Amino acid sequence: MAAADKVDPIHQFQIHPIIPIHIGGYDISFTNSSLFMVATIVVASAFLYMSTASRSLIPGRLQSISEMAYEFVGNMLRDAAGKQGMQFFPLVFSLFMFVLVANLIGLFPYFFTVTSHIIVTFTLAILVIGTVLVYGFAKHGLGFLKLFVPHGVPGYLLPLVVAIEIISFVSRPVSLSVRLFANMLAGHITLKVFSGFVVSLSALGAVGVAGSVLPLAMAVALTALELLVAFLQAYVFAVLTCMYLNDALHPSH
């Protein structure tokens, strides 16, 4: 059974209860997924606190990384939503850091990647879209519905265009969550498969060890690619969040 687990690419995504909790017929157990979500928050918070605690005029390496992350997200938000968008900076920065750190933690062997589960990424996407809807209607009232009526559309095409805009808006949480989930899932499965090839071939003796060189090289290359994907997916999630928040700020644009 242990040997099977080592080469099973799906085994790494299984959720196991650590502290079983059942209330009113509902299973709300503290699982390995819960543990790594807590670990993600702790690691991200500890890094930001420790790297900025000194507030040195001439920043060290860690403080420079924190300041670069701050400016990176701040510039992204200002470019997408203008200066008004900075009121959402805590939300966007928190989402960016959570996704990035969760992705990076998931690269360690035997660790759990929380962003490889659709329920986690969909919850984050619903948080973003919910914020857009609540702020949009609170700030603009029914004027927020101008978001679905683009300027310059002929009257006879308006019903079709409005329907398309509504469908596009409703599909946002799906596309936002699936993009992150699918990339992390596919990357980890591929990496696990090539790693499994290395283990399987190495068990065949000298010939197998020689044959395992190619999948080992692929596994190393995929690990480097996964590092890049971990950052890119956090960036894409954050930049799309900024674009959606811009719709809440400027629905008539």
Side-chain angles (χ1 to χ4, degrees):
M1 182 68 178
D5 287 343
K6 290 180 181 178
V7 296
D8 181 9
I10 305 300
H11 179 72
Q12 59 184 315
F13 305 113
Q14 293 178 359
I15 296 179
H16 306 285
I18 297 176
I19 304 176
I21 304 174
H22 299 274
I23 299 178
Y26 292 96
D27 184 359
I28 56 172
S29 301
F30 187 81
T31 65
N32 54 339
S33 179
S34 307
L35 175 63
F36 278 93
M37 280 190 276
V38 172
T40 297
I41 295 172
V42 170
V43 169
S45 301
F47 171 76
L48 292 172
Y49 175 78
M50 293 174 63
S51 61
T52 59
S54 62
R55 297 184 179 89
S56 300
L57 185 61
I58 301 176
R61 290 187 179 90
L62 294 182
Q63 185 175 334
S64 295
I65 293 174
S66 295
E67 292 178 357
M68 286 171 62
Y70 181 95
E71 287 299 323
F72 179 76
V73 176
N75 291 334
M76 184 196 314
L77 188 53
R78 280 188 290 267
D79 291 342
K83 291 183 179 180
Q84 285 182 297
M86 288 303 291
Q87 60 188 299
F88 295 108
F89 179 83
L91 171 65
V92 179
F93 186 76
S94 298
L95 287 171
F96 175 78
M97 291 300 298
F98 179 86
V99 173
L100 177 60
V101 174
N103 290 349
L104 293 176
I105 286 178
L107 292 176
F108 287 89
Y110 304 107
F111 279 24
F112 190 85
T113 310
V114 297
T115 48
S116 66
H117 280 255
I118 187 67
I119 187 61
V120 175
T121 59
F122 186 72
T123 301
L124 296 177
I126 287 296
L127 171 63
V128 173
I129 301 303
T131 301
V132 171
L133 289 172
V134 170
Y135 183 87
F137 280 111
K139 181 71 174 180
H140 307 284
L142 293 179
F144 177 67
L145 297 177
K146 293 178 182 178
L147 177 65
F148 306 111
V149 186
H151 290 297
V153 178
Y156 62 90
L157 285 178
L158 198 57
L160 176 61
V161 171
V162 169
I164 292 174
E165 289 291 330
I166 292 175
I167 294 173
S168 174
F169 185 87
V170 172
S171 66
R172 283 180 177 181
V174 177
S175 61
L176 189 60
S177 58
V178 169
R179 183 182 292 104
L180 174 57
F181 146 76
N183 275 278
M184 301 312 298
L185 182 73
H188 281 62
I189 288 177
T190 305
L191 183 59
K192 186 76 171 184
V193 168
F194 278 98
S195 300
F197 286 159
V198 175
V199 174
S200 300
L201 290 172
S202 298
L204 299 178
V207 176
V209 171
S212 67
V213 173
L214 181 59
L216 177 60
M218 287 297 299
V220 173
L222 283 170
T223 301
L225 179 62
E226 281 294 283
L227 279 170
L228 177 62
V229 170
F231 174 79
L232 284 179
Q233 288 306 310
Y235 167 73
V236 169
F237 196 95
V239 76
L240 288 176
T241 298
C242 294
M243 294 173 63
Y244 297 158
L245 290 170
N246 180 57
D247 290 338
L249 290 164
H250 312 105
S252 59
H253 287 195

